[in-house]
């Protein structure tokens, strides 16, 4: 049986401290590269790789800050900087022999973009206004809204209810009016998934208004026929014994 030696185990403290110093300096330096890349690419999150003669370096950044710096030397990968654990000294030393080449590759990349936008035009055609189209659409929808609110009032009065719907077919297409305490809640054409000619949320397109406005009269006529049928039904009621 081998007797224990009196020799003390070697301390790794000095090596670890030196490793941490190198990593901290690289993190600060490469952090500048990460911020520049985030600025260049217009986003807080991203990743870009740069090739050198000895391998490939990858910079990943999140929220504009360096997330990791990876060196791929072909046989091994070394996370020179990461949010997990520091690299071993030997792979770190190998990677650092190529660090200047990585920075040069980054600088060449940035240099290749110099002047790339010099001949790009920054004067553009005048943008056409939609003011007149919107005004005309709103005028037509205003008239439709007035008719729908009037129908909603009459329906609420007859049904003695603050909420309800009335539906009819116009040239084979289903039209549905929903009312609430404020008047017409919506006027939908085409059933589920159809076009909301009136809505509490958004306006229909001008093309849809143009296509459907002519059929509003048919829907109003169907409503009037419905009211006449109700009136005719009540006119036959007799209280005489």
């Amino acid at each position: 049986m081998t007797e224990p030696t009196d020799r003390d185990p070697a301390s790794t403290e000095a090596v670890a401290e030196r490793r941490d110093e190198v990593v901290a300096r690289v993190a600060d330096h490469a952090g500048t590269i990460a911020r520049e890349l985030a600025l260049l690419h217009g986003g807080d999150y991203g990743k870009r790789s740069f090739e050198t003669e000895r391998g490939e370096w990858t910079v990943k950044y999140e929220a504009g800050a360096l997330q990791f710096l990876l060196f791929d030397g072909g046989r091994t990968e070394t996370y020179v900087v990461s949010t997990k654990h520091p690299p071993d000294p030997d792979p770190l030393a190998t990677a650092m022999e190529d660090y200047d080449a990585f920075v040069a590759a980054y600088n060449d990349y940035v240099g290749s973009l110099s002047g790339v936008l010099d001949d790009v035009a920054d004067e553009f055609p005048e943008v056409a206004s939609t003011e007149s189209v919107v005004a005309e659409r709103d005028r037509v929808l205003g008239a439709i809204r007035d008719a729908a609110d009037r129908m909603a009032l009459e329906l609420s009065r007859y049904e003695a209810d603050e909420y309800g719907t009335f539906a009819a077919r116009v040239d084979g297409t289903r039209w549905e009016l929903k009312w609430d305490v404020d008047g017409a809640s919506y006027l939908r054409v085409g059933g589920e998934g159809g076009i909301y000619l009136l809505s509490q949320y958004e306006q229909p397109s001008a093309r849809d208004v143009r296509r459907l406005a002519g059929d509003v009269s048919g829907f109003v006529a169907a409503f009037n026929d419905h009211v006449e049928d109700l009136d005719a039904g009540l006119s036959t009621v007799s209280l005489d014994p």
Side-chain angles (χ1 to χ4, degrees):
M1 182 176 179
T2 303
E3 294 293 331
T5 179
D6 292 334
R7 184 177 300 171
D8 293 334
S11 173
T12 63
E13 182 178 356
V15 177
E17 287 182 354
R18 178 55 183 160
R19 184 267 318 276
D20 293 345
E21 289 176 359
V22 172
V23 170
R25 292 186 62 186
V26 173
D28 182 64
H29 189 269
T32 301
I33 294 176
R35 289 190 294 275
E36 293 296 334
L37 288 173
L39 179 64
L40 177 63
H41 295 297
D44 288 337
Y45 303 88
K47 181 170 64 174
R48 188 166 187 89
S49 297
F50 301 89
E51 292 187 0
T52 65
E53 291 185 0
R54 295 189 181 186
E56 183 180 74
W57 292 79
T58 299
V59 180
K60 182 179 180 182
Y61 52 90
E62 293 187 6
L66 180 66
Q67 184 70 9
F68 69 67
L69 177 64
L70 171 66
F71 173 66
D72 184 354
R75 294 183 178 180
T76 60
E77 292 183 343
T78 303
Y79 282 89
V80 177
V81 179
S82 77
T83 58
K84 298 180 180 179
H85 54 76
D88 290 335
D90 283 343
L92 174 62
T94 300
M96 291 308 298
E97 291 175 359
D98 195 53
Y99 187 78
D100 284 353
F102 154 62
V103 178
Y106 162 77
N107 288 341
D108 288 344
Y109 167 67
V110 175
S112 70
L113 300 176
S114 177
V116 70
L117 297 176
D118 287 353
D119 297 329
V120 175
D122 57 3
E123 295 182 0
F124 309 104
E126 183 178 353
V127 177
S129 172
T130 63
E131 182 178 359
S132 62
V133 177
V134 171
E136 186 63 12
R137 179 195 63 189
D138 290 348
R139 182 190 66 80
V140 175
L141 287 179
I144 296 174
R145 168 67 68 180
D146 289 342
D149 284 343
R150 178 62 186 273
M151 286 188 284
L153 174 63
E154 298 298 336
L155 287 166
S156 177
R157 178 185 300 170
Y158 170 77
E159 299 288 350
D161 197 342
E162 294 180 343
Y163 304 90
T165 60
F166 168 75
R169 288 194 173 274
V170 179
D171 291 335
T173 301
R174 177 183 171 85
W175 286 59
E176 181 179 85
L177 170 68
K178 181 178 180 181
W179 79 86
D180 57 27
V181 293
D182 296 322
S185 177
Y186 69 69
L187 177 59
R188 184 175 65 198
V189 184
E192 292 291 339
I195 296 171
Y196 285 84
L197 200 52
L198 297 177
S199 169
Q200 296 176 332
Y201 301 102
E202 61 182 16
Q203 300 280 53
S205 71
R207 292 185 183 275
D208 286 335
V209 173
R210 178 183 177 85
R211 180 169 58 88
L212 297 172
D215 291 331
V216 174
S217 295
F219 181 62
V220 175
F223 170 81
N224 290 340
D225 289 343
H226 174 68
V227 173
E228 287 182 8
D229 289 342
L230 294 176
D231 184 57
L234 286 175
S235 67
T236 62
V237 175
S238 175
L239 300 180
D240 295 331

